[in-house]
Amino acid sequence: MASAAHSFPSPNPWRREASVTLKLAWPLILSNLTMALIGATDVLMIGWLGARELAAATLGFNLAMSCAIFCMGLVTASAPMMASEIGRMGHSVRDVRRTFRQAIWAAVTVIVPFWILLWNTESILVFFGQQPDLARNAGLYISAYMWSILPFLCFIILRNFISALEQPVWALIISVIAVLANALFNYALIFGKFGVPAFGVIGAGIGSVMTNMLMFGGMALVVILHKRFRRYHLFGRFWRADWQRYRALWKLGLPIAVTMGLEGSVFGIAALLMGLINAESVAAHAIALQLASLTFMVPMGLGQAATVRVGIQYGRKDHAGITRAGWVSFVLGTSFMAAMALVFVLAPDFLIAIFIDASAPGNEKVATLAVSFLAIAAIFQIVDGAQVVGAGMLRGLHDTTVPMVFALMGYWFIGIGVGAGLAFWQGWEGIGVWTGLASGLGIVAILMLARWMMRQRIGLLP
């Protein structure tokens, strides 16, 4: 019997880790993709109104997303916290519930100042030198869109909870429904269909509010009704304070928020730099960025899976498991982005045609600029994938402060500094901005990977 047992060896642990990671990651990837498609749908339909409407909405959307990404970074701390709690004690209920509740409290706390900021979008854009008519339309769009951020954050926290339990497929189902609903809402509200008045760009913002409310409500029903989740009673006695866990979440989450905020806002600043060049550069930037954002959802999902898988092994104090969980996600993420880089190089005209008719009057320059931006985005793809998975790996180890410093150096000092210098001092214009972004992301990717490789030497392992 012993020899028979030896003839059937246990599965290779690396292969098993790859299987578990992909099983966890693919619903997260598709969920991220569907959320990106919601933004892409807004851009697509606003683009049908005209290039200037698209430019205005892009300026407003980038400002709002900079705020939303900061907030999302804060509540992202709930993922490694819940994962490590489950790894430490598989049947933990109380500690997981404590983290979930205080993540919601933190979301409500952090969103208020950003609502005040976004209410003044038009004035902010004018202050930064944007054209008054673009700033006015951007302000109209954001006056509605801003209210969608809180339900979106609550959806993210609920998704973190079910992901920590390695059951993320429900987030995918709800996200797919949301994409279809958002397209319907936008079509009706932007263009005045089905008996609804035509609101133009503000209609896209209203549609986003309705869509994110739908996503949060759907996910809340799942965790309340599903037998696997309802034993946690996530919404019970929600008013009770838990200041110890609230502070712990802020301590871990604030550096993540700053890191993600620096990354998100760098694209907002890039859009502002494009606005200082011309409206065509803003529109072309919006198209190239939407395409890059769609492919980014894959390594982002793998980074989220890495946070959970590394976090679980961190809770178990399994050093070999930590190594496998991190490297599997990293290889999968960077390999995918290398393949997408080839697509950007080989088929730019096809990709751009999804968003804009290059033959239409006034669109030729936008299409030409978008092609040039995509050429740089091909390099950008690989380093962007590497840095986001690297950040996810380190978050699983509850390491967030030093990666925040890396982000500040890479995204702002190098990314914006090099980009602005090339755009305005060297006369590269929009190509210079994108070159700077790629340079900054490359530096961050190298630093994240180096820190991961030194994790034992610098005391990150339990």
Side-chain angles (χ1 to χ4, degrees):
M1 294 295 292
S3 61
H6 284 296
S7 65
F8 296 98
S10 60
N12 182 293
W14 287 88
R15 189 178 303 154
R16 181 183 179 279
E17 182 61 42
S19 175
V20 173
T21 297
L22 286 171
K23 183 178 178 181
L24 174 61
W26 76 261
L28 291 171
I29 290 167
L30 293 178
S31 174
N32 290 336
L33 183 61
T34 54
M35 286 189 286
L37 284 173
I38 291 173
T41 301
D42 288 356
V43 171
L44 178 67
M45 292 191 175
I46 292 172
W48 294 347
L49 292 174
R52 293 196 69 80
E53 286 82 359
L54 174 59
T58 300
L59 290 170
F61 182 76
N62 277 284
L63 178 61
M65 282 307 297
S66 298
C67 300
I69 289 170
F70 180 92
C71 298
M72 190 170 76
L74 176 65
V75 302
T76 292
S78 62
M81 289 176 70
M82 288 188 282
S84 60
E85 287 153 8
I86 291 169
R88 185 166 47 248
M89 188 168 58
H91 298 288
S92 173
V93 170
R94 182 173 177 271
D95 277 340
V96 172
R97 182 171 60 236
R98 288 175 66 196
T99 297
F100 170 82
R101 290 174 177 172
Q102 295 315 302
I104 297 288
W105 277 47
V108 174
T109 304
V110 76
I111 193 60
V112 174
F114 285 114
W115 274 340
I116 295 171
L117 178 73
L118 291 174
W119 190 253
N120 295 284
T121 293
E122 180 179 354
S123 300
I124 292 169
L125 293 177
V126 169
F127 176 79
F128 281 104
Q130 302 304 306
Q131 299 173 32
D133 65 318
L134 295 182
R136 183 171 57 255
N137 276 334
L140 286 173
Y141 171 56
I142 297 303
S143 67
Y145 180 87
M146 57 184 277
W147 306 109
S148 72
I149 299 175
L150 181 58
F152 171 72
L153 295 175
C154 294
F155 168 80
I156 291 296
I157 296 166
L158 285 166
R159 193 183 71 167
N160 288 345
F161 164 70
I162 66 171
S163 297
L165 293 172
E166 300 186 273
Q167 298 286 324
V169 71
W170 286 104
L172 170 61
I173 294 169
I174 290 169
S175 297
V176 170
I177 294 170
V179 169
L180 300 175
N182 186 66
L184 184 64
F185 294 153
N186 276 3
Y187 185 64
L189 293 165
I190 294 173
F191 303 107
K193 305 297 182 180
F194 313 120
V196 177
F199 290 100
V201 293
I202 198 172
I206 297 170
S208 295
V209 175
M210 296 170 65
T211 300
N212 284 306
M213 288 294 294
L214 175 67
M215 292 170 69
F216 170 56
M219 189 65 81
L221 283 176
V222 167
V223 300
I224 290 170
L225 300 176
H226 194 282
K227 63 181 181 181
R228 176 74 187 276
F229 308 132
R230 65 189 178 203
R231 72 188 186 95
Y232 288 86
H233 302 290
L234 294 180
F235 295 102
R237 297 184 178 180
F238 208 79
W239 59 88
R240 293 184 64 179
D242 184 349
W243 299 117
Q244 181 183 10
R245 186 57 54 93
Y246 182 81
R247 287 192 296 270
L249 191 137
W250 273 89
K251 182 179 179 180
L252 183 64
L254 188 57
I256 302 176
V258 174
T259 300
M260 294 179 66
L262 289 170
E263 182 180 8
S265 60
V266 81
F267 293 106
I269 296 299
L272 292 175
L273 293 176
M274 293 292 184
L276 297 176
I277 299 168
N278 51 51
E280 291 83 2
S281 292
V282 177
H285 175 74
I287 294 168
L289 189 57
Q290 279 299 321
L291 290 167
S293 297
L294 290 174
T295 58
F296 178 75
M297 295 304 107
V298 174
M300 181 178 177
L302 285 162
Q304 291 163 342
T307 296
V308 172
R309 291 297 302 157
V310 171
I312 289 172
Q313 305 306 327
Y314 180 83
R316 293 172 180 168
K317 301 183 179 180
D318 182 350
H319 291 193
I322 288 170
T323 298
R324 288 191 297 270
W327 282 119
V328 163
S329 293
F330 184 83
V331 170
L332 291 171
T334 51
S335 298
F336 173 83
M337 292 301 261
M340 290 301 100
L342 284 176
V343 174
F344 278 27
V345 170
L346 297 176
D349 294 325
F350 171 78
L351 296 172
I352 291 163
I354 298 171
F355 292 90
I356 195 169
D357 180 4
S359 63
N363 287 348
E364 299 92 341
K365 185 176 180 181
V366 173
T368 301
L369 287 170
V371 169
S372 65
F373 295 167
L374 282 182
I376 301 167
I379 301 170
F380 175 106
Q381 291 284 285
I382 300 170
V383 295
D384 203 13
Q387 66 85 22
V388 74
V389 179
M393 292 152 62
L394 292 172
R395 285 170 196 155
L397 299 176
H398 293 210
D399 179 38
T400 60
T401 302
V402 174
M404 174 187 69
V405 177
F406 293 164
L408 177 61
M409 292 170 51
Y411 301 149
W412 282 83
F413 293 135
I414 297 173
I416 291 298
V418 171
L422 292 175
F424 299 106
W425 297 335
Q426 297 299 317
W428 290 21
E429 296 189 334
I431 293 174
V433 174
W434 274 80
T435 302
L437 293 175
S439 302
L441 288 169
I443 294 298
V444 174
I446 291 169
L447 292 172
M448 294 285 192
L449 185 60
R451 186 164 177 81
W452 167 260
M453 294 175 71
M454 295 190 296
R455 61 192 177 280
Q456 184 164 8
R457 192 185 318 165
I458 60 180
L460 295 180
L461 295 182

